[in-house]
Amino acid sequence: DADVVLTSGVSGALELALGALANEGDNVLLPQPGFPLFKTILDGFGVECRYYRVLPDHSWEVAVEDLAQLADDRTVAIVINNPSNPCGSVFSASHLKSVVDAAAELSLPIVADEVYADMVFGDRSFVSVASVSRDVPVLSVGGISKQFVVPGWRLGWLLIHDRNGVLEA
């Protein structure tokens, strides 16, 4: 139950998702540490980057309490990177649910960079953000470069999960 947009790589999917949500002067919540391309894209749009912590002593999970402290009336999205680059964390369904609940409280959509989906080790399992969200719009990005080891093909996608038409409204 998602709209699918094919893009020129995952970078193109991220640029499309963030550009659709943010205007110059807005801000977006990003993980720290996190993948530097998020900032590069947002800087190009004149969008402020605000950083929430990921906690090394808790498997690099999102410091959920940071989200409400950082958000204001110009905040337009939360970016989640799961599995994480560079930290390697893989969020549990219960942790993702706590992030989604915080996004719901703030009325913010989530941009989920899931390019490393299903590339996990040990007893961990990948859980997509969209699978634990019912009311919060999730824009998931992925591509063939990592999972299928074909980076030169530059095929990515943006999956728009907006079950209640929030983004349209």
Side-chain angles (χ1 to χ4, degrees):
D1 64 332
D3 291 316
V4 179
V5 179
L6 297 179
T7 62
S8 178
V10 179
S11 301
L14 285 167
E15 187 171 355
L16 186 61
L18 293 168
L21 294 172
N23 294 308
E24 187 172 351
D26 288 337
N27 66 74
V28 172
L29 306 183
L30 302 174
Q32 180 65 28
F35 187 52
L37 181 62
F38 304 139
K39 180 178 178 0
T40 301
I41 291 169
L42 293 168
D43 283 352
F45 291 134
V47 175
E48 178 188 359
C49 300
R50 294 190 178 174
Y51 296 96
Y52 61 84
R53 296 171 297 140
V54 292
L55 306 170
D57 295 339
H58 296 292
S59 302
W60 299 100
E61 289 183 338
V62 173
V64 176
E65 65 276 5
D66 285 4
L67 302 176
Q69 293 172 0
L70 292 167
D72 65 15
D73 62 339
R74 293 301 304 260
T75 305
V76 295
I78 300 168
V79 174
I80 301 293
N81 189 204
N82 177 50
S84 172
N85 176 8
C87 299
S89 57
V90 181
F91 299 143
S92 67
S94 63
H95 179 63
L96 287 173
K97 182 70 173 121
S98 68
V99 174
V100 168
D101 289 347
E105 284 288 319
L106 297 166
S107 298
L108 292 174
I110 294 175
V111 175
D113 180 348
E114 299 178 335
V115 69
Y116 292 103
D118 296 320
M119 296 182 71
V120 298
F121 302 99
D123 61 351
R124 301 302 297 235
S125 298
F126 169 73
V127 177
S128 71
V129 176
S131 72
V132 300
S133 175
R134 293 294 161 250
D135 300 320
V136 173
V138 177
L139 287 75
S140 302
V141 302
I144 63 171
S145 62
K146 307 296 188 253
Q147 290 182 30
F148 301 101
V149 196
V150 286
W153 286 13
R154 304 290 306 143
L155 178 61
W157 52 79
L158 170 61
L159 305 177
I160 305 167
H161 305 270
D162 188 17
R163 292 174 179 91
N164 299 319
V166 173
L167 295 176
E168 291 179 29

